[in-house]
Amino acid sequence: MTAQDIADEIRAFIAAEFLAGEDASDLTDDYDIVASGVIDSLGLVRLVSHIATAYRVPVDGIDITPDNFRTIAAITDLIGEHSEPVAA
Amino acid sequence: MPSPQLADAVGEHREKHADRVALSCCHRSVTYQQLDDLTRTFADRLRRLPLAPGATVCVPAHKSPETVALLLAVFRQGLVALVPSPDLGAEALARLSRRARASHLLGADEQGSVSAEPVEPDEAEAAGFAVPDPARTRLLLTTSGSTGTPKIVPIPVDGFTAFADWAGHAFHLTGDDVALSYAPLNFDLALLDVWTFLRLGAHVVLVGKEQAADARHLRELVAGRGVSFVQGVPMLHRLLAQDAEATFPAVRQAVFTGEAMPADLLPSVFAAFPEARLHNVFGCTETNDSFIHEVSRTRAGERMPIGRPLPGVRALVVGVDGTPLEGAGGGELLVSTPFQTGGYLERSLNDRVFTEIDGRVYYRTGDLVTRSADGLVHLEGRADWQVKVRGIRTNLQEVEAVIATHPDVAEAVVVALPDDQAGVRLHATVTRRPVAALTGLALRSYAGARLPRHAIPASVHITDQPLPRTSTGKPDRNRIRADRMKETSAA
């Protein structure tokens, strides 16, 4: 999975979970989803849980601060750094 | 009390049950003997301060046995206590003190020493504020308010006495009871779960701000201290009950208050308090409690009513034409209680909310209600655009006004939709200007730069169509809200 694939999947997840039915064309990689209220603290918990299961990111190892989840780019970076390789 | 008799009552409980616990907090407890001793020590200290008879002093509401004793000492000395939130910044605290003409800012620490800082008087700042009358009030509470300086609400001495008598009777309280005091000491809820219990010689477990979200600690307090009375917002009940393993058979009375109790929480609350009678209680700082509803374990419906007026309370439901309804119908709720304040200290605020009808003074709650033919009352929303998002008072009109300043917005309506977790969430329906390419995400960024996080709409519907109108030509908020709820429940 390339970084672009991950970014697109995260974008689709956010659009489906937090923007049901809205025009998501402005949801670019650098759109601030925290300052704009798209995800709140409860939303952050759902997002972290999704990342943990979908990308095998060990939740204990990452800082669950809004700054790490502010943009799709930041989330994609975080997944790239922390996801555990899938055993073949 | 908050009255001089309250300090006397504590003295009497000391005579009869010196070793009975009066107050406890996380790591210590104070008996009636110790509380009475501390009160006398603090009263001596107050006597040595240059205080005029009946003067007002400011005592920030730290949740500690020492602050309670200091307040008892203030009542005993015939002084008036202004009790603001301990979280108020220094500047806001000073402004509030000058408005109430408080002569000193007082505090008491865990070692039992009293601090007293003189407050610089400022008659210009106090202009328009009544001077508290110690013959009628010993306690000035403050209402939260989302913006600006809190409003100062004098609690009448006889109103408190009537309230404590009612509460003792309604909840069958005795000196053997143990209250969990969850709300801050500056909230009107403390009139019941702190002051009424001390008047009875009972035990009050003080929950500090630092422990307020710690579910395990709260459960340990309720189980370990033998708590028999629990009063609080739905969040407290969620924290206590969400762990299905924990049950609290010693709790005899559980009171829901502050905001609407979500129906999904009831089964776990029933299980957590298997022996308790359960009540939904409605009130505010200005009037204290005015409505009560006993919650049935077997017949609790989807929507919990606020019930019926307390004994001695008169309630009016006033329709849009301004006349009180007879019988069933909907409108704004006005209440007149035996416990209510004589008016805000700031006189100019009173005309808007206190109104005399047939010789009684009513308080306009700003709450919209419906009353059924048999007199049961349900809350429906606010008349003044206030809603609570995650417990924070939010003004829908202010949010609308901010959104409307976006250059691509022709018109915007913000409505509150029910939400299990947040209480309500905000939804915006926005008509964009012709040829504008505005999206909900762009509007959220704009709102996020200008509004607190809780006030940013959780959902945004952008349209090129004009908003639906009422017959008087205003945007039809009820229809927008109903349409949106239909859409989301269908999804």
Side-chain angles (χ1 to χ4, degrees):
Chain A
M1 221 178 181
T2 66
Q4 190 57 49
D5 292 340
I6 294 174
D8 288 342
E9 194 280 335
I10 295 293
R11 189 175 355 265
F13 176 81
I14 293 171
E17 288 289 313
F18 305 107
L19 297 171
E22 286 184 42
D23 176 354
S25 57
D26 285 344
L27 190 58
T28 52
D29 286 0
D30 58 355
Y31 182 88
D32 190 330
I33 56 175
V34 174
S36 59
V38 171
I39 59 162
D40 58 9
S41 51
L42 290 169
L44 185 60
V45 171
R46 273 154 69 198
L47 186 60
V48 169
S49 147
H50 170 72
I51 291 166
T53 48
Y55 298 98
R56 304 173 61 85
V57 170
V59 175
D60 295 344
I62 56 171
D63 251 355
I64 304 179
T65 59
D67 270 342
N68 283 336
F69 297 86
R70 197 166 278 285
T71 62
I72 290 172
I75 296 166
T76 307
D77 286 350
L78 184 126
I79 292 169
E81 283 165 30
H82 289 91
S83 69
E84 290 170 348
V86 181
Chain B
M1 165 287 348
S3 72
Q5 292 81 21
L6 194 76
D8 294 344
V10 168
E12 284 164 27
H13 295 312
R14 177 241 183 95
E15 294 301 319
K16 284 185 241 159
H17 321 280
D19 295 332
R20 189 183 265 181
V21 174
L23 298 163
S24 65
C25 52
C26 52
H27 55 288
R28 60 212 172 97
S29 58
V30 171
T31 63
Y32 271 91
Q33 173 161 354
Q34 290 166 327
L35 179 61
D36 192 46
D37 286 344
L38 204 52
T39 302
R40 288 167 192 274
T41 305
F42 289 169
D44 283 340
R45 178 81 172 84
L46 294 178
R47 269 195 290 273
R48 294 199 298 274
L49 289 174
L51 296 170
T56 297
V57 290
C58 179
V59 183
H62 295 285
K63 203 88 181 274
S64 69
E66 288 73 24
T67 302
V68 172
L70 180 58
L71 287 167
L72 287 169
V74 168
F75 305 146
R76 172 186 287 265
Q77 289 308 109
L79 303 167
V80 179
L82 168 68
V83 182
S85 163
D87 301 330
L88 221 52
E91 199 174 310
L93 196 60
R95 186 162 57 234
L96 201 65
S97 296
R98 290 193 297 267
R99 290 178 170 186
R101 297 180 178 82
S103 66
H104 288 75
L105 179 61
L106 303 181
D109 65 17
E110 209 175 304
Q111 283 68 48
S113 67
V114 172
S115 62
E117 276 173 50
V119 175
E120 194 65 41
D122 183 343
E123 269 309 311
E125 183 126 33
F129 288 78
V131 179
D133 175 3
R136 296 174 58 195
T137 181
R138 295 295 169 86
L139 180 69
L140 310 176
L141 293 182
T142 54
T143 58
S144 42
S146 51
T147 53
T149 310
K151 293 182 247 186
I152 304 168
V153 184
I155 305 300
V157 170
D158 52 359
F160 169 73
T161 304
F163 174 74
D165 286 343
W166 166 75
H169 184 257
F171 301 114
H172 309 283
L173 304 176
T174 72
D176 294 326
D177 273 300
V178 181
L180 184 76
S181 166
Y182 183 71
L185 201 53
N186 52 304
F187 278 35
D188 58 292
L189 300 184
L191 295 171
L192 174 48
D193 59 32
V194 177
W195 302 114
T196 296
F197 276 72
L198 291 181
R199 185 171 177 260
L200 287 163
H203 173 182
V204 177
V205 180
L206 300 170
V207 179
K209 184 179 61 172
E210 301 74 21
Q211 294 90 39
D214 184 342
R216 190 192 305 171
H217 176 74
L218 291 168
R219 290 196 288 259
E220 282 170 7
L221 280 182
V222 173
R225 306 278 163 96
V227 166
S228 62
F229 179 93
V230 173
Q231 169 182 248
V233 290
M235 182 176 137
L236 167 66
H237 294 284
R238 198 177 281 282
L239 290 169
L240 289 174
Q242 66 193 355
D243 171 7
E245 297 299 303
T247 65
F248 308 101
V251 173
R252 291 192 308 108
Q253 299 280 352
V255 172
F256 316 141
T257 192
E259 51 192 285
M261 189 73 173
D264 75 311
L265 187 52
L266 286 178
S268 46
V269 168
F270 293 161
F273 304 130
E275 304 296 329
R277 289 179 71 172
L278 309 157
H279 290 90
N280 190 31
V281 172
F282 172 81
C284 60
T285 308
E286 288 85 348
T287 64
N288 207 337
D289 293 337
S290 57
F291 274 73
I292 191 165
H293 173 72
E294 178 151 14
V295 181
S296 159
R297 287 174 186 265
T298 50
R299 286 181 291 108
E302 272 300 293
R303 286 179 68 227
M304 189 176 294
I306 60 170
R308 299 169 202 279
L310 268 47
V313 170
R314 298 278 188 86
L316 302 176
V317 179
V318 175
V320 280
D321 60 353
T323 57
L325 304 177
E326 302 282 338
E332 187 185 354
L333 179 67
L334 271 64
V335 297
S336 176
T337 75
F339 328 127
Q340 73 193 12
T341 181
Y344 300 114
L345 223 49
E346 186 173 4
R347 292 194 191 90
S348 64
L349 299 176
N350 290 325
D351 283 353
R352 234 179 313 153
V353 292
F354 294 98
T355 175
E356 192 171 324
I357 299 171
D358 294 337
R360 282 180 79 117
V361 176
Y362 286 82
Y363 171 73
R364 302 176 63 116
T365 62
D367 289 304
L368 297 175
V369 300
T370 51
R371 185 168 57 196
S372 65
D374 65 353
L376 201 61
V377 172
H378 280 87
L379 277 185
E380 303 292 348
R382 290 286 297 179
D384 62 359
W385 310 93
Q386 301 270 1
V387 297
K388 279 188 178 174
V389 183
R390 298 196 284 274
I392 308 169
R393 261 196 206 183
T394 308
N395 186 307
L396 296 176
Q397 258 186 332
E398 286 172 13
V399 179
E400 275 178 15
V402 166
I403 289 174
T405 60
H406 190 287
D408 289 345
V409 170
E411 197 170 28
V413 159
V414 175
V415 295
L417 306 175
D419 184 86
D420 286 346
Q421 275 158 333
V424 303
R425 60 196 171 80
L426 303 187
H427 168 76
T429 291
V430 176
T431 302
R432 62 185 166 195
R433 292 192 191 282
V435 308
L438 182 68
T439 65
L441 284 163
L443 194 64
R444 281 185 180 81
S445 296
Y446 183 83
R450 290 162 180 82
L451 289 168
R453 205 62 59 74
H454 62 89
I456 305 171
S459 56
V460 181
H461 174 62
I462 304 274
T463 170
D464 295 312
Q465 306 299 316
L467 299 177
R469 301 266 153 195
T470 64
S471 57
T472 56
K474 292 178 186 157
D476 190 343
R477 293 186 165 75
N478 290 336
R479 190 168 141 205
I480 290 167
R481 185 168 181 272
D483 286 352
R484 180 68 193 181
M485 283 172 74
K486 224 178 292 165
E487 277 170 34
T488 47
S489 65

